[in-house]
Amino acid sequence: MVDLLLGLQWGDEGKGKIVDVLTKDYDIIARFQGGPNAGHTLEFDGIKHVLHTIPSGIFHKNAMNIVGNGVVIDPVIFKKELDNLDKFNIDIISKLLISRKAHLILPTHRLLDAASETAKGKAKIGSTLKGIGPTYMDKTGRNGMRVGDLEFDNWKTKYRNLANKHEAMIGFYNVDIQYDLAELEEVFYEAVEKLKELTFIDSEEYMFKAQAEGKKILAEGAQGSLLDIDFGTYPYVTSSNTTAAGACTGLGVAPNKIGRVLGIFKAYTTRVGSGPFPTELFDNDGETMGRVGNEFGATTGRARRCGWLDLVALKYAVQINGVTELMMMKADVLSGFKNIKVCTAYKYKGEEIQHLPYNIESENIAPIYTEMKGWAKDLTKMTKAEELPPALNDYIAFLEEQLNVPIKIVSVGPDRVQTINR
Ligand code: GDP
Ligand code: IMO
Ligand code: MG
């Protein structure tokens, strides 16, 4: 069986931390979609690590780490990630395996991303500009380059043809994008050589075998359900299926082999980039969440937009993914709020609704809140469920009742040890 760990909001829920916490119970950690748009933070022994492409199980000796076919890899960023790990004495060659079917992000994909965003002006997606959209476009357009192509002598010819086409496309956007492709290519070629030092595998075969041998596998999601290409707040989404089904296509796991579906959410909500966010706050409360929660993007450093928990959106994500257990992150950030609000319905076109409408724009939706008592206690030193303050227990009980799924972990700080099991 393969368990899934998925973000249920707009990303940055704390997936990296929890995968790291859970890795001791697994033999394999596998990423199945997204690319270096992700920034997954892990903290232990006083050191903070940010991973973009490499699965968050990499610091544990017991687990293999797989980059699945659904992931898009930028060799340049990947090389930087590997360089950052150098000093930690990890046996990367034997602990990290890359799917031959994963697609490559080329320097021109990044340029195309920038050109597309510039051309969109105010309507821009707020992309991380890592070339994610253009790379998945080439994948579905059947023009992409895959990791396995690097094993053939003619890969540079293939690259050249695609890059030439991309340059023509950049011209089509008619925007002022400055770049020196020769310089970018030099860095890219060097990074490709580094990537080629790693072990490429037919990851679906590897996964079949691992399952047959009874290995315990955890699939690590990137982004969150509301950024899903089909079910997110389109067009303000990413270009992959971030939801449970993405793990099937992104790793070659059959739907009937999925076991637990672990859904992870923050005790409030954040979003980075453009797009609708019904419970977004523009007041002191939002400012406090951002400051106390240190809400800055792990990949781009951009300030994250903050707001109250949106149960309408969270219920939707629980349904789409078939979540079997929940993990609530960053409960510590809400300590000190006199009252805590939870959005339980929207006012939309004069009516009260409890689903996400097709035309979801923050301007035409008003959240309807249930207000609960806050707690003042600092949670960050707590280690047991019995220590949690009554008002937080009430908050948790309310969410469990509304979502009809148990909350099994409450996270009270960024470090591995600041994790409470219930
Ligand atoms: P991911 O993309 O889902 O892995 O999440 P990110 O790493 O982008 O963002 C989560 C941020 O919150 C990181 O800076 C984490 O170190 C931090 N974090 C995770 N869990 C907690 C928590 O329970 N409390 C606090 N205060 N910070 C947390
Ligand atoms: P993790 O895995 C938060 C957002 C971007 C933008 C939109 C499209 O760390 O949770 P893209 O670069 O994919 O073209 O951007 O999606 N986005 C994320 N937001 N966390 C992420 O990943 C994200 N990956 C992409 O900000 O709004
Ligand atoms: Mg992140």
Side-chain angles (χ1 to χ4, degrees):
M1 285 305 220
V2 178
D3 294 342
L4 310 183
L5 183 131
L6 307 164
L8 300 181
Q9 296 163 315
W10 279 288
D12 303 330
E13 295 88 354
K15 299 175 290 291
K17 163 176 170 168
I18 291 298
V19 171
D20 172 59
V21 167
L22 298 179
T23 300
K24 60 176 181 356
D25 303 325
Y26 288 93
D27 303 306
I28 296 172
I29 308 295
R31 270 282 298 272
F32 60 88
Q33 45 68 236
N37 48 348
H40 294 181
T41 315
L42 291 69
E43 251 184 78
F44 53 88
D45 301 340
I47 308 180
K48 180 171 144 175
H49 307 269
V50 180
L51 298 169
H52 301 288
T53 326
I54 296 174
S56 302
I58 198 70
F59 293 99
H60 291 258
K61 286 214 159 53
N62 61 300
M64 290 298 280
N65 291 266
I66 314 278
V67 177
N69 58 280
V71 176
V72 290
I73 301 175
D74 183 337
V76 178
I77 296 179
F78 193 71
K79 179 175 181 296
K80 279 190 200 139
E81 281 188 77
L82 291 174
D83 291 346
N84 286 341
L85 292 180
D86 261 356
K87 53 181 172 295
F88 298 104
N89 229 345
I90 299 165
D91 182 5
I92 290 288
I93 302 294
S94 65
K95 300 308 281 181
L96 181 61
L97 310 175
I98 316 286
S99 170
R100 289 197 174 88
K101 292 192 174 76
H103 278 247
L104 291 170
I105 302 177
L106 311 181
T108 43
H109 282 132
R110 270 184 270 129
L111 298 172
L112 277 169
D113 212 356
S116 165
E117 284 285 82
T118 309
K120 279 194 159 92
K122 271 205 175 112
K124 71 173 186 200
I125 308 297
S127 164
T128 60
L129 300 177
K130 303 296 177 197
I132 304 295
T135 306
Y136 279 113
M137 279 162 74
D138 270 340
K139 173 178 177 174
T140 50
R142 297 158 297 178
N143 298 311
M145 269 191 76
R146 300 188 288 177
V147 165
D149 292 335
L150 301 175
E151 292 175 322
F152 294 89
D153 292 339
N154 68 344
W155 74 266
K156 278 195 182 163
T157 314
K158 199 165 180 178
Y159 163 75
R160 185 80 277 137
N161 290 339
L162 194 51
N164 287 347
K165 187 173 122 185
H166 289 159
E167 277 212 286
M169 288 164 71
I170 293 165
F172 161 82
Y173 281 106
N174 200 19
V175 290
D176 186 23
I177 301 282
Q178 302 290 333
Y179 62 91
D180 179 341
L181 188 56
E183 206 173 286
L184 293 172
E185 280 173 351
E186 200 180 308
V187 178
F188 176 69
Y189 287 150
E190 192 192 328
V192 165
E193 290 313 312
K194 178 84 181 180
L195 178 61
K196 283 166 77 176
E197 288 172 15
L198 296 192
T199 312
F200 300 163
I201 57 164
D202 296 322
S203 54
E204 61 286 4
E205 287 293 335
Y206 185 94
M207 295 292 284
F208 300 152
K209 237 182 169 170
Q211 289 174 76
E213 287 165 6
K215 293 261 162 62
K216 290 200 72 189
I217 304 169
L218 179 67
E220 174 180 2
Q223 290 80 53
S225 297
L226 302 175
L227 288 170
D228 182 276
I229 183 72
D230 284 284
F231 300 109
T233 46
Y234 193 88
Y236 300 99
V237 294
T238 190
S239 300
S240 62
N241 281 116
T242 59
T243 45
C248 296
T249 56
L251 288 170
V253 173
N256 62 345
K257 297 295 186 296
I258 304 289
R260 295 157 69 198
V261 181
L262 316 175
I264 173 164
F265 69 100
K266 277 180 191 166
Y268 49 100
T269 311
T270 64
R271 169 162 211 174
V272 60
S274 329
F277 180 177
T279 61
E280 182 169 11
L281 293 169
F282 301 94
D283 59 5
N284 282 341
D285 287 345
E287 192 272 328
T288 306
M289 287 172 192
R291 180 170 37 78
V292 179
N294 194 22
E295 294 294 358
F296 294 93
T299 295
T300 58
R302 292 178 292 176
R304 296 177 183 143
R305 302 153 64 191
C306 298
W308 296 114
L309 189 64
D310 183 342
L311 268 182
V312 180
L314 197 55
K315 260 185 206 167
Y316 173 76
V318 165
Q319 280 177 334
I320 288 267
N321 294 304
V323 171
T324 59
E325 53 209 273
L326 288 161
M327 304 176 165
M328 185 168 88
M329 310 301 288
K330 297 195 131 176
D332 55 300
V333 176
L334 292 187
S335 289
F337 281 93
K338 198 156 169 276
N339 293 302
I340 289 177
K341 289 186 191 171
V342 192
C343 168
T344 47
Y346 298 141
K347 185 112 186 203
Y348 178 70
K349 292 186 176 165
E351 268 182 60
E352 191 174 316
I353 58 166
Q354 283 182 341
H355 67 275
L356 273 102
Y358 179 80
N359 181 21
I360 177 172
E361 285 168 13
S362 300
E363 308 83 64
N364 59 21
I365 273 200
I368 298 173
Y369 288 115
T370 295
E371 205 162 301
M372 306 198 58
K373 256 183 73 178
W375 57 90
K377 272 210 174 122
D378 173 15
L379 311 178
T380 56
K381 307 268 169 350
M382 295 183 181
T383 54
K384 291 189 197 67
E386 298 76 56
E387 295 172 81
L388 297 176
L392 173 54
N393 281 327
D394 290 347
Y395 186 58
I396 293 170
F398 179 71
L399 301 183
E400 287 185 325
E401 189 227 335
Q402 291 281 316
L403 297 166
N404 208 15
V405 181
I407 297 177
K408 295 294 221 182
I409 283 182
V410 177
S411 176
V412 293
D415 196 279
R416 244 184 213 171
V417 298
Q418 292 171 301
T419 311
I420 296 178
N421 289 297
R422 302 175 73 242

